[in-house]
């Protein structure tokens, strides 16, 4: 996921057992970071709440002065220098200065700092609305386009057209009365979105289970849990606790409690917020002349409208439906056998808390993947060594760890990225990989500083942070990753590379500022490397003796990629359709809509009393009306992988560098479809997408 914040823009603790060397000879040592040295970045992570407030005031004042200067230009004397360049420089200043203020809400270990950062985000988001509603600036942009558009460079022309398009999408071509109403509603939407995500981030529920209630869980899991005085275990709802328990615990009641609590996070407060957001978004869309909020946001995406999205999802659903039926039947047979084996009552139904457990059994029974054994070959340090090496070799880069970096938490690492041929500095990235109280609970990339040309004509160095929640190492146990976490690492780091490799003129097009239904393409494409033998060998070694994964286990892992294809993708369709349904209505009962689509499409009822949408951060994090993008962009990412990398060599540096140049360096300065056609040499096709899902192999998979 790439995080879109504030209407503008759309993260490793070393195991004490390991000390490894990256492929370029860079040593990564198992030691804590200090906050002492300068890393030549303007980003400060030690700001007090008062300093955050003061910097927010100064930033608002500075950007407002720039907009005021443009608004005061005689409309007959507008030119690139007094209009477009002033706005471009202000947008760069804003993007480069803002994230030391609004990013700490997601990662700071200090609650007071997180609160101050959240308040800064609210103020800046309200300020965004004010600046986006500047009719005087909008009028001068229109005048500039009429006067000078023919003589502009392509990216400058694209910037003018983008700013005018944004102005029209804010209603600046409508009456002042409608503009005022849009401004009022937009400020409410912004504040409610921030509140929604703050509630999710600050959620800290802990469940207490006895050792018997955690039956089936591996020692590597329970070793990482805190204990109560009477010997029970404390289990949080963080990903490293929740998902392994749901997949491995053979006690149904424990899974039921966990699933119910997990999908009841922030239920009361956030249900009210998300349903209010749906209403407000629908009102704004109507004022702007759109039939729904979905159609409003989709206008500037590759999909263009909700009809095209519905057709795409329906076509995929038709292919998956019979597969899902067979998979459910097989899961039910596994449950019946399990109940007989353990002396439990068999109710003849699959529940939400059954799904992860029996889907995991499919991998073990049909593909013979020993998850406990597999886990031992993915110590975090080894995974990171392999991942960084693969990205370096593939994209023509070199990573150098910054010693004693200035960071927000001692476990955070900072790296400088260099071009392997020229030695030019490309950018810097942070890795913040373990859970802690108050930290963002998912995995995501945060763009922190754009990479583009500054007012002095020199290129600004982009910076990004990958934030994740992988299991913490302890004094006696390393951080071991499940294979799906390795995949997550590759995915999010793909976003990081997109942020850092872009080479655009303007901040407006830097990094991942592309169409929302294209933004996942580069990161999804790179997920394929965790399903191929050569890269898997590079990122895996047994945590005790450094031995490689046995060929038999590796082959079984790769074959298991298509396990549960139907149900996993049907769930993605559920979430995509929930998002579309909620944002094609003027109001909605979110829990009822989710439950309805779960039953209709997935064939599994939502647990009564829960509301998954109350913690569905995408709905308030920039993917509203656009969650379909994960499936949509996979069509293109699979076409890229199978048509170029799989055919010409997955570690082929020639293809990798071409990919960097055509897809990553362009940022948002070129339409996604044009990038695809250039790299593929033709129009994109869907066949690789369906092949990657195993839909051409599925017919007899569950006929046993």
């Amino acid at each position: 996921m790439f995080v879109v914040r504030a209407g503008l823009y759309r993260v490793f603790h070393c195991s004490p057992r390991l000390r490894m060397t990256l492929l370029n000879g860079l040593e990564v040592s198992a030691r804590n970071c200090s906050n002492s040295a300068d890393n030549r970045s303007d980003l400060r992570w030690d700001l007090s709440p008062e300093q955050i407030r003061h910097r927010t005031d100064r930033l608002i004042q500075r950007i407002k002065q720039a907009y005021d200067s443009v608004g005061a230009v005689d409309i007959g004397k507008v030119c690139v220098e007094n209009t477009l360049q002033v706005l471009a420089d202000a947008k760069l200043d804003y993007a480069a200065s803002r994230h030391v203020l609004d990013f700490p809400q997601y990662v700071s270990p200090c609650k007071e700092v997180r609160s101050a950062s959240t308040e800064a985000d609210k103020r800046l988001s309200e300020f965004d609305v004010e600046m986006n509603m500047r009719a005087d600036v909008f009028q001068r942009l229109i005048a500039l386009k009429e006067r000078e558009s023919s003589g502009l460079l392509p990216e400058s022309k694209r910037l003018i057209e983008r700013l005018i398009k944004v102005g029209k999408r804010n209603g600046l071509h409508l009456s002042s009365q409608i503009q005022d109403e849009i401004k009022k509603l937009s400020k409410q939407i912004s504040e409610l979105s921030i509140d929604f995500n703050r509630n999710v981030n600050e959620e800290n529920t802990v469940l207490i289970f006895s050792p018997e209630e955690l039956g089936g869980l591996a020692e590597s899991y329970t070793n990482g849990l805190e204990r109560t005085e009477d010997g029970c275990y404390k289990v949080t709802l963080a990903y490293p606790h929740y998902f392994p328990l749901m997949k491995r615990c053979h006690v149904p009641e424990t899974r039921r409690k966990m699933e119910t609590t997990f999908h009841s996070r922030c239920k009361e407060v956030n249900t009210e917020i998300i349903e209010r957001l749906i209403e407000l978004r629908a009102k704004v869309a109507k004022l702007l002349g759109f039939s729904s909020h979905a159609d409003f946001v989709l206008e500037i995406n590759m999909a263009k409208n909700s009809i095209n999205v519905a057709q795409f999802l329906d076509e995929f659903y038709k292919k998956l439906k019979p597969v899902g039926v067979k998979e459910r039947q097989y899961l039910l047979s596994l449950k019946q056998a399990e109940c007989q084996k353990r002396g439990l009552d068999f109710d003849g139904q699959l529940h939400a808390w059954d799904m992860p457990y029996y889907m995991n059994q499919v991998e073990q029974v049909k593909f013979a993947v020993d998850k406990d054994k597999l886990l031992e070959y993915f110590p975090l340090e080894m995974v990171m060594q392999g991942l960084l090496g693969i990205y370096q070799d593939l994209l023509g880069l070199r990573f150098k760890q910054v010693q004693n970096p200035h960071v927000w938490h001692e476990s955070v690492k900072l790296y400088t990225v260099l071009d392997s041929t020229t030695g030019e500095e490309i950018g810097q990235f942070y890795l913040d990989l373990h859970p802690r109280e108050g930290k963002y609970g998912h995995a995501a990339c945060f763009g922190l500083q754009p990479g583009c040309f500054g007012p002095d004509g020199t290129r600004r160095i982009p910076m990004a942070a990958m934030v994740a929640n992988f299991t913490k190492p302890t004094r006696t146990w390393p951080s071991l990753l499940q294979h799906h976490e390795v995949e997550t690492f590759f995915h999010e780091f793909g976003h990081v590379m997109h942020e850092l490799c872009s080479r655009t003129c303007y901040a407006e097009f830097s990094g991942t500022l592309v169409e929302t239904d294209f933004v996942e393409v580069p990161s999804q494409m790179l997920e394929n490397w965790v399903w191929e033998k050569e890269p898997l060998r590079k990122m895996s070694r047994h945590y005790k003796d450094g031995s490689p994964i046995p060929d038999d286990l590796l082959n079984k892992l790769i074959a298991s990629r298509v396990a549960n294809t139907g149900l996993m993708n049907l769930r993605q369709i559920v979430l995509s359709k929930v998002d579309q349904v909620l944002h094609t209505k003027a109001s909605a009962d979110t829990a009822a809509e989710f439950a309805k689509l779960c039953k209709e499409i997935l064939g599994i009822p939502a647990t009564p009393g829960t509301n998954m949408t109350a913690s569905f951060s995408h709905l308030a994090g920039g993917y509203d009306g656009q969650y379909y993008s994960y499936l949509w962009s996979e069509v293109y990412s699979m076409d890229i992988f199978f048509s170029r990398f799989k055919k010409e060599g997955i570690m082929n540096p020639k293809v990798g560098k071409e990919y960097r140049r055509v897809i990553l360096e362009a940022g948002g300065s070129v339409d996604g479809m044009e990038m695809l056609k250039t790299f593929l040499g033709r129009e994109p096709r869907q066949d690789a997408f369906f092949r990657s899902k195993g839909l051409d192999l599925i017919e007899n998979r569950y006929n046993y």
Side-chain angles (χ1 to χ4, degrees), residues 1-14:
M1 175 182 180
F2 193 84
V3 176
V4 187
R5 290 179 284 135
L8 291 174
Y9 297 96
R10 291 261 200 253
V11 207
F12 163 87
H13 192 288
C14 300

Side-chain angles (χ1 to χ4, degrees), residues 513-641:
L513 290 176
V514 299
E515 301 99 318
T516 303
D517 48 8
F518 186 79
V519 74
E520 299 294 338
V521 170
S523 49
Q524 285 179 334
M525 197 279 292
L526 289 154
E527 289 178 20
N528 288 288
W529 272 251
V530 308
W531 295 101
E532 297 286 334
K533 276 190 176 182
E534 183 181 356
L536 278 170
R537 292 200 183 283
K538 290 178 180 288
M539 68 180 90
S540 61
R541 284 289 186 275
H542 197 279
Y543 78 95
K544 287 183 178 178
D545 58 17
S547 59
I549 299 182
D551 284 340
D552 182 53
L553 184 56
L554 194 59
N555 291 333
K556 290 173 180 176
L557 169 64
I558 293 170
S560 73
R561 185 174 191 177
V562 294
N564 304 301
T565 286
L567 292 174
M568 287 195 296
N569 285 283
L570 285 171
R571 178 165 173 79
Q572 285 296 90
I573 291 175
V574 169
L575 296 178
S576 300
K577 280 187 168 285
V578 167
D579 178 35
Q580 288 293 301
V581 166
L582 297 182
H583 289 110
T584 50
K585 293 185 174 184
S587 62
D589 180 334
T590 53
E593 294 289 358
F594 179 75
K596 176 175 176 287
L597 287 164
C598 265
K599 185 63 178 174
E600 288 180 358
I601 295 173
L602 194 59
I604 308 294
T607 302
T610 64
N611 184 10
M612 178 270 176
T613 66
S615 56
F616 190 6
S617 297
H618 291 77
L619 298 183
Y623 280 74
D624 42 292
Q626 301 168 96
Y627 190 83
Y628 77 93
S629 297
Y630 284 94
L631 287 172
W632 181 280
S633 59
E634 206 172 346
V635 171
Y636 305 126
S637 66
M638 289 303 174
D639 200 1
I640 290 173
F641 177 71

Side-chain angles (χ1 to χ4, degrees), residues 323-380:
V323 183
V325 170
K326 289 183 178 181
E327 290 182 355
R328 283 198 308 272
Q329 291 171 345
Y330 186 66
L331 294 190
L332 200 58
S333 71
L334 290 176
K335 181 176 179 178
Q336 185 175 20
E338 173 96 355
C339 289
Q340 291 173 348
K341 174 184 174 182
R342 299 192 182 279
L344 303 172
D345 290 335
F346 175 59
D347 60 5
Q349 299 179 50
L350 286 172
H351 305 284
W353 60 87
D354 290 326
M355 298 301 289
Y357 182 73
Y358 291 107
M359 288 169 73
N360 186 63
Q361 280 199 13
V362 170
E363 296 181 45
Q364 294 176 328
V365 174
K366 293 301 175 192
F367 297 91
V369 178
D370 186 335
K371 290 294 186 71
D372 289 338
K373 192 67 178 174
L374 188 63
L375 185 76
E376 297 176 359
Y377 289 92
F378 290 117
L380 176 56

